[in-house]
Amino acid sequence: MTTRPLPEPAPHRPVWPEIDDLSVQAIQAALLSGRLAVSGPPSRWPSRNVMAAAALARLTRRRHATLTASGSSAIVIALQAADVGPGDVVLLPATTWVACATAVLRVGAVPAFFDGTDGSPCLVGHSPVDSPRAVLGVHLYAQQCDVAALRRRFPDSVLIEDASHAQLAETAGDRVAGSLGDISIMSTQATKILATGEGGVVLTDDGELASRIESLMMDSRRRLPEPALGLLNELEPAGLQHGANHAMSELSAALLLDQLARLPDQSRRRATGLAYLLDRLAGAGWQAFADEGARRSGNFYGLAVRLPGHESDAGSFIAKVSRDTGIVLDRVYPPLPEGPLYRPATVKQYAGLGELTGPLERARHWHDRHVVIPHHLFLAGEPALDALATAMTGGARRSRAVPRRRPLVEVVVVTRGERPRLLAAALESVAAQRDVDADISVTVWLDKGADAPDEVLLPAGLDGVRLTTVGHSGAVPAEPWTRVATLRQFAIDRRIGDHLAFLDDDNTWSPDHLAGLLALARRGYPAVHSWRRMIDADGNPVLVDRFPWLPPGDKAVQRLAELASAGIMSADSSVIRDAVRRPDGGVGMVDMGEWLFDSTVLPVLRIATPRSAAEVEERIGEDDLLLRQIVRLGIPTASTERETLRYRLGGMSNPETVTR
């Protein structure tokens, strides 16, 4: 396999959303419940959709919340619930995401775009209409639309508040964003501070509206008050309003609950980061636009800043920052009617609706002369914000240096202690790793089963080695392959490192093994591997005339020929060019000792999985089963394409191979 070179990721580019074992656990619980959709059968398990909706209603101090499949669906439902349709005009800012206008078109109404002001793209400057049927007030970046002012200016209009950029942000009068409109909506798309991949929320205090919204969201139905087990689903006809399927899935709702639990800490960190950056930019000619509620709460989508006069344009500045720091900034949305995504004339249903607009000078100015710092950068810490401030001001970084935490690589060695000389060589090869920009910890898992020695002596002079002893006879399965897989699963479940690698007690690594793997891992691959060289008991290269992991015979000879044609093995080389996939698309092979895993990917992988009788006969091991999972899940992988694992033949998986 040829590895395409990729640029090193920026050290200051945080991963968003923040996902970990708890997120995986939340999804697993939703799967175990048997509920995947709101129309699923009744269950003893609570609906994650109901739980997340109740949580959002409580946090926004609303009486009712309904979860939808997307923010776009949320706007459509809000408009339909407000009886907005053909012949009506909906006023919205020219500076906003295209889905806001598309939702208006989807209900057959006419979008009318107002221009912003010099101080905010979400306040009304010029408006092409005086009495719209509805107004979509959109909070943008870290600025809030003035809902009270909209009510005064358009007293006869239905007011729909879009809080997608300001979820749960503090507002005037001890209120929160999402509580201010006749109907309020949010998007929970992957870039938002509450991220479910795709999703939306509709909120209201009006019970009648809430019933119509629920009916619109799930095909004209409503939830049964007391559903009994054994029914096909928990729904019944609502008899209110013709709906469609706009429902959020139970899995997305489970992720929403997970993200809601993280929000308070993220909000605090985001507010702290914002204050720090604003302090760094003070007096440098940059004007930042953040309402007090956004600053205080830390709940904002991004920070819009105006370019100083010496910066030519937003696009050039964004490219410069990316080149110098690796930090990716964004531009303020272009005026929607003039943007590349607004093309209603290309859809027959929308072509005749048209739009109302007027001068959009302020909207153009916001797009041309402003850049947006994404919210997740404020979670990255002071070094990242220092790097950004330096790129923005051209000044020197603050002298107070925050040391970078070195990643921790945990190396796991499973042993019964029966081969102390080989175990010592394996551990010494870990200690000999060079040029590794990481700390290394070694965990030796000692299987104290039957016939194991009473004492295992680890090599002297090895720092950072932990010894974990597992029971006595019967503590783990007796069958050798299953026993090793179980111990490795124990190690995964109790991992301590940012990366995890396995090394058999009879194999060794060349000194550049981990350095090569980490170089690939830093490019964003969660699972990377090397190649290996077959050696004998004395460490000398070995040539084979059959596939050594099958008993001698025609099948083993044929398997070697197949791998030779795939470029993985050959009878005239001791190097195995392990690959995740063969050239014909089939699953290849990678030994466990070649892998380096990012710890975040390990919760979705299971090493200790049952083997069928056919797999036992074919000597399919835990490394083969693991590779199948990696391929099935589409986990990104890469290979160093260097034989840095020295693989000793004649062990448990190939006992018939005699190497001397």
Side-chain angles (χ1 to χ4, degrees):
M1 180 184 73
T2 301
T3 302
R4 184 181 63 179
L6 293 175
E8 292 280 348
H12 306 309
R13 188 181 303 169
V15 175
W16 185 259
E18 294 181 337
I19 300 291
D20 59 20
D21 292 10
L22 295 178
S23 312
V24 175
Q25 188 180 55
I27 298 297
Q28 288 175 328
L31 289 170
L32 287 174
S33 75
R35 294 175 177 271
L36 296 180
V38 295
S39 58
S43 171
R44 297 288 186 196
W45 292 70
S47 164
R48 267 58 183 173
N49 197 296
V50 171
M51 292 169 63
L56 279 170
R58 181 178 68 256
L59 292 169
T60 55
R61 304 165 203 166
R62 285 288 207 177
R63 293 178 182 169
H64 307 280
T66 300
L67 305 186
T68 65
S70 67
S72 304
S73 291
I75 301 175
V76 169
I77 288 174
L79 293 168
Q80 290 177 332
D83 202 28
V84 176
D88 293 329
V89 173
V90 178
L91 183 67
L92 66 153
T95 302
T96 189
W97 179 242
V98 67
C100 294
T102 305
V104 175
L105 296 170
R106 286 168 65 184
V107 301
V110 176
F113 301 101
F114 68 77
D115 200 9
T117 68
D118 187 62
S120 173
C122 53
L123 297 181
V124 182
H126 174 272
S127 172
V129 293
D130 296 323
S131 299
R133 175 71 179 86
V135 177
L136 182 62
V138 184
H139 305 299
L140 287 166
Y141 307 114
Q143 300 168 82
Q144 298 173 4
C145 70
D146 190 336
V147 175
L150 290 175
R151 289 191 186 280
R152 291 192 298 270
R153 182 164 178 175
F154 306 103
D156 299 323
S157 303
V158 177
L159 184 54
I160 299 172
E161 175 198 19
D162 185 339
S164 300
H165 280 203
Q167 294 155 331
L168 306 178
E170 297 178 18
T171 68
D174 194 34
R175 301 284 295 275
V176 295
S179 70
L180 306 176
D182 299 318
I183 306 173
S184 299
I185 73 97
M186 296 179 187
S187 165
T188 60
Q189 187 265 348
T191 61
K192 305 301 190 295
I193 65 172
L194 285 175
T196 63
E198 293 290 353
V201 190
V202 188
L203 303 128
T204 186
D205 292 324
D206 187 312
E208 181 183 351
L209 263 179
S211 296
R212 294 169 66 184
I213 289 168
E214 183 180 59
S215 179
L216 286 162
M217 179 267 291
M218 48 188 179
D219 291 308
S220 316
R221 296 173 292 182
R222 66 183 177 191
R223 288 183 173 85
L224 287 166
E226 296 182 7
L229 295 178
L231 298 177
L232 288 175
N233 57 58
E234 297 181 331
L235 308 178
E236 66 177 0
L240 291 173
Q241 194 153 0
H242 183 84
N245 183 5
H246 292 286
M248 178 182 286
S249 76
E250 286 285 303
L251 300 184
S252 293
L255 187 56
L256 178 54
L257 287 168
D258 170 76
Q259 295 297 301
L260 276 169
R262 302 170 190 275
L263 186 61
D265 176 66
Q266 292 171 344
S267 301
R268 176 190 56 77
R269 291 157 52 202
R270 199 179 287 114
T272 300
L274 175 59
Y276 183 83
L277 181 66
L278 293 178
D279 179 60
R280 287 293 322 269
L281 296 180
W286 289 85
Q287 185 176 2
F289 295 85
D291 289 350
E292 183 58 33
R295 298 187 190 206
R296 212 168 38 240
S297 65
N299 291 339
F300 58 90
Y301 179 73
L303 176 69
V305 291
R306 183 169 292 170
L307 294 171
H310 64 271
E311 295 289 351
S312 60
D313 64 88
S316 299
F317 178 76
I318 289 170
K320 181 179 73 173
V321 171
S322 177
R323 182 178 62 251
D324 293 347
T325 70
I327 293 172
V328 180
L329 305 179
D330 200 0
R331 300 183 70 164
V332 170
Y333 299 127
L336 213 161
E338 302 171 0
L341 305 181
Y342 186 71
R343 293 289 182 268
T346 63
V347 179
K348 187 174 183 179
Q349 178 186 354
Y350 308 150
L353 295 176
E355 68 270 336
L356 301 174
T357 188
L360 299 176
E361 282 85 358
R362 291 297 89 200
R364 295 191 194 100
H365 181 70
W366 277 98
H367 178 62
D368 293 339
R369 299 298 303 169
H370 297 74
V371 296
V372 178
I373 304 169
H375 67 87
H376 46 80
L377 188 65
F378 295 97
L379 304 177
E382 292 181 4
L385 297 174
D386 279 336
L388 176 60
T390 300
M392 295 175 71
T393 64
R397 297 192 186 187
R398 285 193 173 176
S399 58
R400 184 169 67 88
V402 178
R404 180 176 68 88
R405 186 182 75 84
R406 284 162 59 89
L408 176 63
V409 176
E410 182 182 10
V411 179
V412 171
V413 179
V414 174
T415 185
R416 299 192 71 188
E418 300 168 319
R419 301 177 287 192
R421 180 180 64 85
L422 295 180
L423 174 61
L427 294 175
E428 287 164 358
S429 78
V430 177
Q433 295 298 297
R434 63 171 185 250
D435 301 326
V436 178
D437 186 18
D439 295 322
I440 300 175
S441 173
V442 181
T443 305
V444 176
W445 283 77
L446 174 60
D447 174 17
K448 290 287 287 184
D451 303 326
D454 294 330
E455 184 180 9
V456 173
L457 296 177
L458 299 179
L462 289 180
D463 297 327
V465 177
R466 302 186 307 156
L467 180 62
T468 302
T469 302
V470 182
H472 292 280
S473 180
V476 292
E479 195 275 320
W481 291 51
T482 308
R483 185 178 70 242
V484 171
T486 300
L487 291 171
R488 283 176 171 159
Q489 191 66 57
F490 286 169
I492 286 178
D493 294 340
R494 292 158 179 80
R495 65 194 181 280
I496 62 172
D498 301 290
H499 302 275
L500 189 67
F502 293 95
L503 181 61
D504 288 349
D505 64 356
D506 58 345
N507 293 337
T508 59
W509 287 333
S510 63
D512 59 345
H513 177 78
L514 286 179
L517 293 173
L518 282 167
L520 283 180
R522 283 193 293 270
R523 297 178 180 178
Y525 293 103
V528 296
H529 67 90
S530 66
W531 287 348
R532 54 183 153 161
R533 182 180 294 278
M534 295 178 289
I535 61 174
D536 62 18
D538 296 322
N540 302 309
V542 172
L543 300 180
V544 294
D545 57 4
R546 61 176 177 80
F547 186 68
W549 292 275
L550 286 175
D554 293 341
K555 184 178 290 187
V557 173
Q558 180 181 353
R559 180 73 61 84
L560 179 62
E562 293 170 355
L563 291 171
S565 65
I568 295 176
M569 288 185 72
S570 68
D572 57 359
S573 175
S574 64
V575 175
I576 302 178
R577 297 170 176 81
D578 287 289
V580 172
R581 283 194 177 275
R582 302 194 306 262
D584 62 4
V587 178
M589 64 180 193
V590 180
D591 184 74
M592 194 67 73
E594 297 172 276
W595 284 112
L596 179 71
F597 294 103
D598 188 305
S599 282
T600 59
V601 80
L602 290 171
V604 302
L605 298 172
R606 300 297 300 177
I607 291 182
T609 56
R611 293 187 301 159
S612 67
E615 289 171 337
V616 171
E617 183 180 353
E618 288 289 319
R619 294 191 179 176
I620 300 298
E622 79 277 8
D623 46 3
D624 301 302
L625 298 176
L626 180 71
L627 184 57
R628 292 177 186 178
Q629 294 175 57
I630 289 171
V631 171
R632 177 170 55 83
L633 295 172
I635 294 173
T637 63
S639 172
T640 63
E641 298 186 350
R642 298 205 305 268
E643 62 274 18
T644 53
L645 171 68
R646 293 189 285 264
Y647 184 91
R648 199 175 307 273
L649 291 175
M652 182 186 72
S653 63
N654 43 67
E656 299 91 352
T657 304
V658 179
T659 57
R660 69 173 185 178

